[in-house]
Amino acid sequence: MKAEDLCSRLGIEMSNPNLHQLVKQAQTLIIQIAEHREYKQLLETGYQPDLNIADASTALIYLQWELERNRETSA
């Protein structure tokens, strides 16, 4: 499945988004995953990945901070 098709199904606009928009959309998806019933069931049955939802969220926060820092230095 193409990324564009998947994003369309998820209601994510992909017509030339900037990186800030993509990061926000990714953060929204991560929240939805973390709150999803099936994900919670996996955790209850012992699912313990090396990297988890919190790690992904933290990575996006760091990326967002870097984007903001770059925006400030280029302004």
Side-chain angles (χ1 to χ4, degrees):
M1 176 179 286
K2 290 183 181 180
E4 292 85 4
D5 295 339
L6 177 60
C7 290
S8 176
R9 285 184 176 186
L10 295 172
I12 298 171
E13 178 59 42
M14 286 299 294
S15 60
N16 199 22
N18 66 39
L19 189 51
H20 274 287
Q21 290 171 320
L22 290 174
V23 170
K24 282 186 163 191
Q25 290 170 346
Q27 288 171 328
T28 299
L29 287 173
I30 286 174
I31 291 168
Q32 290 176 356
I33 290 169
E35 294 174 350
H36 198 280
R37 173 183 56 83
E38 290 178 52
Y39 179 74
K40 289 179 180 181
Q41 286 175 344
L42 284 172
L43 293 175
E44 290 170 3
T45 61
Y47 175 65
Q48 295 179 345
D50 290 338
L51 300 172
N52 58 38
I53 295 293
D55 295 321
S57 180
T58 300
L60 289 171
I61 289 168
Y62 290 163
L63 177 56
Q64 190 170 26
W65 288 347
E66 186 66 20
L67 290 171
E68 290 170 5
R69 189 169 66 86
N70 286 340
R71 183 185 293 171
E72 290 170 3
T73 59
S74 66

